Amino acid sequence: MIRVRKKAFLLLLLCGTIPIVMLIYLTMTTDEAFESKPDNILGFNGREAKLAQRVREIEEQNQVLRRQLSLSQNQLVNVRNYMAIENETDMVAMETEKNGTKIKCVSTEPDVPKCEVIHVAIVSAGYNSTRNVVTLIKSILFYRKHPLHFYFITDKAAHLILQMLFTTWNVAGVEVTFHLADDLKSEVAWIPNKHYSGVYGLLKLTLPQRLPKDLDQVIVLDTDVTFASDIAELWKIFRKFKGKQAIGLVENQSDWYLGKLWKNHRPWPALGRGFNTGVILLNLKILRALSWSQMWHLVAEKELMSMLSTSLADQDIFNAVLKQNPHMLYHLPCQWNIQLSQNTRSELCYREVSDLKIIHWNSPLKLKVKNKHVQFFRNLYLTFLEYDGNLLRRQLFGCVSEKPNAVQDKLNEISEDDECYDFRRERVLIHRTHLYYIDYDNTPSATNDDVTLVAQLSMDRLQMLETICKHWEGPISLALYMSDAEAQAFLRYALGSELLMSRRNVGYHIVYKDGQFYPVNYLRNVAVKQVNTSYIFLSDIDFLPMYGLYEYLKKAVSMMDMATHKKALIVPAFETQRYRLTFPKSKADLLSMLDMGSLFTFRYHVWAKGHAPTNFAKWRTATTPYKVTWEPDFEPYVVVRNNIPEYDQRFVGFGWNKVSHIMELDAQGYEFIVLPNAFIIHMPHAPSFDIAKFRSSSLYRKCLKTLKEEYQQDLSRKHGLKALKYLSVDK
């Protein structure tokens, strides 16, 4: 650098001194030397001609010197660029001012090849942790331009949730591989860990040995980080690893490893301030060659003799290993892990928004952490939290995807000239689904007679949840049709409800909005598939079960020999038009309210056919279960075994969604038996948007009729002669 500057200065000095010397020389030359020369063709005398010639020579020399000076300045700028890139980041490293023009020094390194796969490993355990994973994945997908391969180390719960999520999300250029944490726990379970992450906070130590042997490098991320840039920029840093550098980390931005946070604070050994493991670049090939597993085991065993346990899980062990083997460390620029913990120095890592790369919410306080710019970081996080994940299904143009898009193939088979195209499209759609959005824990009763209430809802029925939980103490499986933003509103509502938080046996399954209609039967199928009891009660969210119905149904299924016979137990449905109702405590109370006109049989005045076969007149005096036969448009609420046929997903919004399912049960030989001492009551609410569309749109009604006829024909072909009766149903 000094040599380049000296050379530039000498050239500049030379340019200025040569003209001065020449002018002095010319003035000292005698006139006589030129007087003997003849005048030139321009009329100059000899002296003037000689002076003009000298001036031209000097100008030519100056031009040569200016070109050399320009080359020297370019060389100086290149050196500055190189040094800035080496010391900071691959992107903009510095800015200088010259003649009022701002110069940006940009990396000259080539980008990651367009279709090169970027590999990412994440540890996720428990139902709640998967919500953080989704926000992290959204932030990565938002900026990414390359194919991705995620490796998840999960427990069984997170495996179920994330596998369903990625299957239904169906993002182009994304592959997912799962490794069960149970297979890895034994390698780290012997380490005492005080960190709230427990044994799962140590599993990153096992990655070099557990990830595929042909995988040479991987980015490892905590679930509480948020990307603010393309992950390819981070992946590109692997090229800078030299020698035996195998672990890329950002320096810890708190004083934890300095041992100065409180009196007698004694952290694990670390280099300087230590390093944070929320973002790690692992060169797996080098780590395997260095016998990584043996290395960290020996270090951990030695330090645990005096430290007794880890305080920051794997981070303590990584730091202890690097303390003894500093040659393995690559020091990442700090903007790749801006740590928003207490007593952080993260503000030194950025001056502009463009400096931000990864935000790490590594404080137990998470979004409530104190930081000068925490509101900006919080808004960035909330943006991805509520961002519509369906918009991230974009294609990676130019990269050949090996995963066929079955949904798109089916959509292509539907003629867009079909006036019922929108309805047929809904049957094909696969909705992004996040199972068990809130922590869940339910163990079915050992007597094998347990019953789960199944229902579906949207945001406008959310207020029914607490009331239903008061009426039904058994397990519940709910499918909620919501946008990403609505899911967050639901989460805040649920977390703020003491009643809902006290019920660990309610499974909330978010099905994200996509399409024009309410996919009622799709939602029912999602909820039914997550039931872990032998029996299910197929209800709707706006019905309140009678008090004690859960225990009553458990006794009923055991008495009706449903384990070996196809039976559907009917729970009679009633309704009230009063928003404030003194709920009947018994059948006698209900009959009295029927007589007084404060209760009615369900939809008797608008859709009597739907429940008429229940025979309410007989039910009033019945003391034992009685059998009824199927009739057209029958749609009772029933208790059945959990292995029932799926609801037909061609029916969306309003109309025939339950009718078609009851018809299928009848075709499969189910007996319909009415329970004499059970009931549910429909609570009043504003008409749904789909009912409004049914009433106002002739095309809606026409397409529903078309779908009904096609379903009846399909049922007849499926079940043969015994299903011919369904073709005679009034069309």
Side-chain angles (χ1 to χ4, degrees), residues 162-176:
L162 293 176
Q163 188 172 52
M164 171 64 81
L165 177 70
F166 279 96
T167 299
T168 55
W169 204 342
N170 193 29
V171 182
V174 173
E175 295 293 333
V176 181

Side-chain angles (χ1 to χ4, degrees), residues 199-217:
V199 68
Y200 298 99
L202 298 162
L203 291 179
K204 284 185 282 188
L205 294 165
T206 69
L207 293 178
Q209 299 305 123
R210 291 295 177 172
L211 292 178
K213 300 301 181 184
D214 58 349
L215 181 61
D216 290 340
Q217 57 193 38

Side-chain angles (χ1 to χ4, degrees), residues 301-472:
E301 289 171 357
K302 176 185 175 182
E303 296 300 333
L304 285 171
M305 293 178 66
S306 58
M307 300 302 298
L308 303 181
S309 66
T310 61
S311 296
L312 299 180
D314 65 84
Q315 184 168 301
D316 285 338
I317 298 176
F318 269 105
N319 274 284
V321 172
L322 293 173
K323 175 75 171 178
Q324 296 185 22
N325 303 274
H327 59 277
M328 296 175 61
L329 173 67
Y330 181 86
H331 192 160
L332 289 174
C334 65
Q335 56 263 47
W336 284 108
N337 186 350
I338 296 176
Q339 301 150 38
L340 300 183
S341 57
Q342 299 290 54
N343 306 309
T344 182
R345 300 168 69 247
S346 60
E347 295 173 18
L348 301 177
C349 292
Y350 56 90
R351 287 179 296 178
E352 298 181 8
V353 173
S354 59
D355 295 331
L356 302 175
K357 301 298 181 184
I358 297 178
I359 315 302
H360 187 187
W361 302 89
N362 60 321
S363 167
L365 297 176
K366 300 305 178 186
L367 297 185
K368 297 179 181 178
V369 69
K370 294 181 180 179
N371 180 278
K372 181 179 179 181
H373 303 110
V374 70
Q375 189 59 47
F376 173 82
F377 296 130
R378 188 181 294 122
N379 290 339
L380 177 66
Y381 176 81
L382 293 176
T383 297
F384 290 118
L385 192 69
E386 300 185 357
Y387 190 83
D388 185 353
N390 296 328
L391 300 178
L392 298 170
R393 285 171 166 161
R394 57 180 181 264
Q395 294 288 327
L396 292 178
F397 294 104
C399 296
V400 179
S401 175
E402 297 181 359
K403 184 169 57 176
N405 192 331
V407 173
Q408 190 59 50
D409 292 341
K410 291 180 180 179
L411 287 175
N412 293 337
E413 294 175 1
I414 305 174
S415 172
E416 294 189 14
D417 296 329
D418 187 340
E419 60 182 352
C420 297
Y421 173 84
D422 290 335
F423 288 84
R424 302 190 189 283
R425 177 179 180 274
E426 294 290 332
R427 184 182 184 183
V428 174
L429 284 182
I430 295 178
H431 294 263
R432 181 167 47 102
T433 303
H434 191 139
L435 303 175
Y436 300 103
Y437 203 67
I438 297 177
D439 203 14
Y440 178 80
D441 183 19
N442 177 65
T443 303
S445 63
T447 55
N448 205 33
D449 59 0
D450 212 349
V451 182
T452 297
L453 186 151
V454 173
Q456 35 70 39
L457 69 151
S458 55
M459 196 69 180
D460 60 345
R461 298 289 191 271
L462 204 58
Q463 71 278 3
M464 291 294 297
L465 290 181
E466 287 192 342
T467 310
I468 286 181
C469 286
K470 292 177 182 177
H471 282 249
W472 179 273

Side-chain angles (χ1 to χ4, degrees), residues 575-582 593 596-600 681-684:
E575 69 175 331
T576 180
Q577 297 176 357
R578 300 179 182 180
Y579 284 88
R580 294 186 177 182
L581 175 72
T582 301
M593 296 174 73
M596 293 173 60
S598 56
L599 286 180
F600 309 91
I681 298 178
H682 180 266
M683 303 304 292

